[in-house]
Amino acid sequence: MTVLELREVSKSYRLRGFLRQGPELQVLAGVSLSLRRHEILGLVGESGCGKSTLARLALALEKPDQGEFLFLGQPYWRLPRRERRNLRPRLQAVFQDPAASLNPRMRIGDLISEPLRLQGVSREETRDRTLKMMEMVGLPEEALSRFPHQLSGGQRQRVALARALITHPEVVVLDEPTSALDVSVQAQILNLLLDLQHRFGVSYIFISHDLPVVLYLAHRVAVMYLGEIVEMAPAADLEKPGLHPYTELLLASIPGERKKRPVAGEPPSLLRRPYGCVFHPRCPEARPLCQREKPPLRRVSREHFIACHRR
Amino acid sequence: MEGGTLLQVQDLVLGCRGRSYPLVGTVSFGLRAGEIFGLVGESGCGKSLTGLACLALFPSGVKPLSGRVIFRDTDLLSLPEEKRRKFRGRHIGLIFQEPLNALNPVFTVGHQVEEVLELHRGLSGEKARRETVRLFSEVGLPDPELRLRNYPHELSGGMRQRVMIAMALAGDPDLLVADEPTTALDVTVQAQILELFLELRARRGLSILFISHDLAVIREVADRVAVMYAGEIVEEAPREELFSSPLHPYTRALLAAFPRLGTRKLEVLPGQVPPPGTWPRGCRFAPRCPEKIPLCAEKHPELKEIRPHHRVRCLRV
């Protein structure tokens, strides 16, 4: 069952210019994806690919210019305000830097329980559920009366997770949740995320620039490039041949083994979006067709989609 | 000193004004000519301070409490500041994580490299310009002549990092200290810059002290690797040996916690790195160590050579 769906969504921002309007920046160009119940969908791509904008749309923080955002089967932005407000708590977010997203003047206990208080849950129940939640994310009871700056980065991310899950949401969008953490702490948080996903039966959209991390966690992976999804596949399929040339470049770029790699430029600016296939200027297999025509996201096997003329 | 050693750090201890405990120490290692030496560890382990100390640079408040940093035959720490400054740039180049902070936004990148050439090699005018173009093409900047007139903000992250590498090479140094030089870059660009470091080493016979938190990056470039934990080196070995048969429990835990392609289960190392001032008296890793014995809490282990070129700081090994 699908819990969240984006259908052909586009999003542009007008850049601020001096005395006149700046150019328009198309950050997302007709992106579709769906998230199933109990699923972890990984979203991977380099900076500027639009993955964080996609996160904001999936969190209903922003409205798409075009396309539809469906949450629990309902067209979110066409619902009356009151219904939207009721749906909101069922969508939660965890961002990269918990120091920036947690109010520094609130105590940990209040931060975690705030969503419950907003829902008017009784004081005793709030306390019980907060303590239980803290135990589940591995925070000691003493942390209750501390402030965010008194905790380590890993502990703060545990607070952000507890706060996101305490209302038993349907979907949690995780935007680079472990990118600021050290390796040993990252492993703790990744395993905690898996554990919590099992316990709560929640669905995740997990966004990261780090392909090995995404592949460790996700059931399905969407690869983004310049505001488009170029490949969507079950995580296990990314270990097989026949992938989108950009996915192949990402995989080959993972450091660790000294092997010669194709040098393939840098992602172009969104202001100079290539015509045809967005990846063709860097693609080793590009043909004239790739410069003229944009390849559609085509099904190559049951759950595997690729946007490439050459596959 | 063994033959071919370019830089020798001996018993280095760094402290901080107003604090009674050390921030780094005791650290000893040697860098051979033409070698890429990787320094890896989690945040707060002291790897960046150690890297800066190799240029006799200390952030404000930090000072060496003991030890020597010997480059060829000169102890950098005993030189007066003026002489140290001449040494840096000319013999040792420095590359940071974020080139935007290191490049001056109001001058063209060409001008900034020419300035270094004038300071360290006495080149000026047309000569400096030609050498800058040569350096730009050496570090793989496209259209090097056009780049001369670019300001830092006009370049992409990868190109800025190439400019910074060109600037570090301008004094024709023998050693580069690169502190997380690819951490701010996208993976596909990171791969290119890592390749560039390997090329530069092969072409110029440079030695590189490569500092990173990223085990995969270190594995990609380093010939020898030292793992730091809580201000000291806990293991040092040739690259292949460190990754295939790590001996220190911390190295092993770090490798097991690092996601690679095909990882099915990440092993979790509980707890976190103790900050300076809270280091345990015995082995600094003992409180988190799955293999500790009672003695570990008592006795601070020495960095011992277990096999040829493989040093480990553990009582159990």
Side-chain angles (χ1 to χ4, degrees), chain B residues 123-173:
Chain B
L123 300 179
S124 57
E126 186 54 27
K127 271 190 185 155
R129 217 184 64 89
R130 270 208 308 272
E131 178 63 5
T132 306
V133 172
R134 202 194 58 72
L135 283 167
F136 278 3
S137 78
E138 183 178 1
V139 298
L141 276 167
D143 310 317
E145 267 158 58
L146 298 176
R147 295 288 86 79
L148 291 176
R149 287 191 295 274
N150 281 132
Y151 289 90
H153 74 270
E154 297 174 314
L155 302 176
S156 68
M159 290 209 271
R160 280 199 289 263
Q161 196 56 286
R162 288 180 198 269
V163 168
M164 191 144 77
I165 294 170
M167 213 154 130
L169 293 174
D172 198 16

Side-chain angles (χ1 to χ4, degrees), chain A residues 6-301:
Chain A
L6 291 163
R7 269 191 206 152
E8 291 290 319
V9 293
S10 295
K11 184 82 193 170
S12 299
Y13 296 96
R14 176 71 66 181
L15 292 183
R16 286 244 303 270
F18 181 63
L19 294 182
R20 58 179 146 180
Q21 281 194 327
E24 200 173 62
L25 204 63
Q26 186 167 30
V27 180
L28 289 177
V31 170
S32 299
L33 63 80
S34 60
L35 177 70
R36 296 170 199 152
R37 178 153 284 160
H38 308 318
E39 184 183 42
I40 303 180
L41 176 67
L43 216 55
V44 68
E46 297 179 274
S47 47
C49 73
K51 53 193 194 300
S52 291
T53 302
L54 198 67
R56 295 181 63 78
L57 293 187
L59 282 164
L61 294 173
E62 281 190 66
K63 202 172 164 174
D65 299 336
Q66 277 151 43
E68 190 94 73
F69 170 55
L70 296 156
F71 183 52
L72 302 175
Q74 301 179 77
Y76 185 86
W77 291 106
R78 286 192 272 146
L79 296 175
R81 183 179 290 230
R82 171 198 289 269
E83 279 180 53
R84 291 212 300 258
R85 203 163 28 200
N86 289 338
L87 279 177
R88 284 221 71 124
R90 307 182 70 180
L91 259 177
Q92 293 289 336
V94 174
F95 295 106
Q96 173 171 346
D97 182 6
S101 56
L102 299 174
N103 185 337
R105 300 170 72 163
M106 280 174 75
R107 291 177 195 277
I108 300 308
D110 295 328
L111 278 165
I112 295 175
S113 60
E114 191 179 31
L116 291 181
R117 291 200 311 275
L118 290 175
Q119 289 186 350
V121 175
S122 76
R123 191 174 289 192
E124 285 94 276
E125 195 189 334
T126 299
R127 193 179 158 78
D128 286 352
R129 280 170 70 179
T130 305
L131 287 172
K132 200 162 150 237
M133 198 65 233
M134 285 176 70
E135 196 200 319
M136 275 196 262
V137 298
L139 283 169
E141 205 177 316
E142 308 92 78
L144 208 56
S145 55
R146 301 250 171 84
F147 289 98
H149 74 267
Q150 294 172 304
L151 303 185
S152 68
Q155 283 177 318
R156 280 198 290 260
Q157 207 52 300
R158 290 175 197 267
V159 173
L161 268 171
R163 190 177 146 90
L165 285 166
I166 198 160
T167 52
H168 291 268
E170 211 69 50
V171 173
V172 181
V173 177
L174 303 136
D175 192 356
E176 303 268 9
T178 63
S179 302
L181 303 175
D182 273 320
V183 183
S184 65
V185 182
Q186 166 172 275
Q188 294 169 12
I189 299 292
L190 290 177
N191 283 353
L192 176 65
L193 281 171
L194 285 175
D195 172 55
L196 292 171
Q197 195 259 342
H198 279 291
R199 284 204 206 192
F200 284 81
V202 62
S203 311
Y204 291 153
I205 295 181
F206 182 85
I207 299 171
S208 175
H209 68 285
D210 190 332
L211 195 48
V213 167
V214 170
L215 289 176
Y216 177 63
L217 224 62
H219 303 126
R220 272 193 311 148
V221 177
V223 181
M224 291 190 70
Y225 187 75
L226 279 190
E228 295 176 16
I229 290 178
V230 295
E231 179 152 30
M232 171 95 81
D237 277 20
L238 293 196
E239 286 165 28
K240 299 176 193 160
L243 303 171
H244 189 285
Y246 178 60
T247 312
E248 283 174 356
L249 176 65
L250 277 183
L251 284 163
S253 300
I254 297 171
E257 306 302 326
R258 251 182 230 178
K259 48 183 190 261
K260 266 280 185 206
R261 298 197 184 79
V263 175
E266 295 184 38
S269 153
L270 285 167
L271 288 169
R272 272 162 286 162
R273 187 178 256 292
Y275 196 76
C277 168
V278 280
F279 186 58
H280 87 255
R282 297 175 76 192
C283 184
E285 300 173 53
R287 293 291 179 273
L289 174 67
C290 308
Q291 303 175 21
R292 287 197 311 270
E293 234 176 81
K294 183 177 161 136
L297 195 61
R298 214 162 31 83
R299 184 191 290 258
V300 291
S301 66

Side-chain angles (χ1 to χ4, degrees), chain B residues 72-102:
Chain B
R72 293 230 172 84
D73 296 313
T74 314
D75 179 6
L76 297 185
L77 301 187
S78 67
L79 291 179
E81 179 55 29
E82 194 185 329
K83 287 207 172 135
R84 287 180 186 175
R85 212 175 296 152
K86 288 219 175 100
F87 227 86
R88 290 176 207 136
R90 184 69 186 89
H91 297 286
I92 311 176
L94 177 62
I95 295 163
F96 296 104
Q97 172 172 342
E98 187 37 83
L100 261 192
N101 299 339

Side-chain angles (χ1 to χ4, degrees), chain B residues 32-202:
Chain B
R32 298 178 199 134
E35 172 182 61
I36 302 183
F37 188 76
L39 205 53
V40 68
E42 299 185 276
S43 48
C45 71
K47 57 190 188 300
S48 289
L49 286 177
T50 303
L52 287 174
C54 292
L55 293 105
L57 278 173
F58 306 99
S60 101
V62 177
K63 57 180 194 308
L65 299 179
S66 64
R68 301 198 291 173
V69 175
I70 300 166
F71 184 86
R72 293 230 172 84
D73 296 313
T74 314
D75 179 6
L76 297 185
L77 301 187
S78 67
L79 291 179
E81 179 55 29
E82 194 185 329
K83 287 207 172 135
R84 287 180 186 175
R85 212 175 296 152
K86 288 219 175 100
F87 227 86
R88 290 176 207 136
R90 184 69 186 89
H91 297 286
I92 311 176
L94 177 62
I95 295 163
F96 296 104
Q97 172 172 342
E98 187 37 83
L100 261 192
N101 299 339
L103 295 171
N104 191 330
V106 301
F107 291 108
T108 63
V109 293
H111 176 85
Q112 297 184 55
V113 175
E114 285 166 28
E115 219 173 44
V116 179
L117 286 170
E118 178 157 9
L119 183 69
H120 288 299
R121 285 164 63 193
L123 300 179
S124 57
E126 186 54 27
K127 271 190 185 155
R129 217 184 64 89
R130 270 208 308 272
E131 178 63 5
T132 306
V133 172
R134 202 194 58 72
L135 283 167
F136 278 3
S137 78
E138 183 178 1
V139 298
L141 276 167
D143 310 317
E145 267 158 58
L146 298 176
R147 295 288 86 79
L148 291 176
R149 287 191 295 274
N150 281 132
Y151 289 90
H153 74 270
E154 297 174 314
L155 302 176
S156 68
M159 290 209 271
R160 280 199 289 263
Q161 196 56 286
R162 288 180 198 269
V163 168
M164 191 144 77
I165 294 170
M167 213 154 130
L169 293 174
D172 198 16
D174 307 295
L175 170 68
L176 283 185
V177 175
D179 188 2
E180 303 271 3
T182 62
T183 305
L185 304 174
D186 276 321
V187 271
T188 59
V189 181
Q190 166 172 281
Q192 297 164 20
I193 299 289
L194 294 178
E195 190 90 35
L196 174 62
F197 278 114
L198 289 168
E199 277 169 30
L200 288 173
R201 185 269 295 272

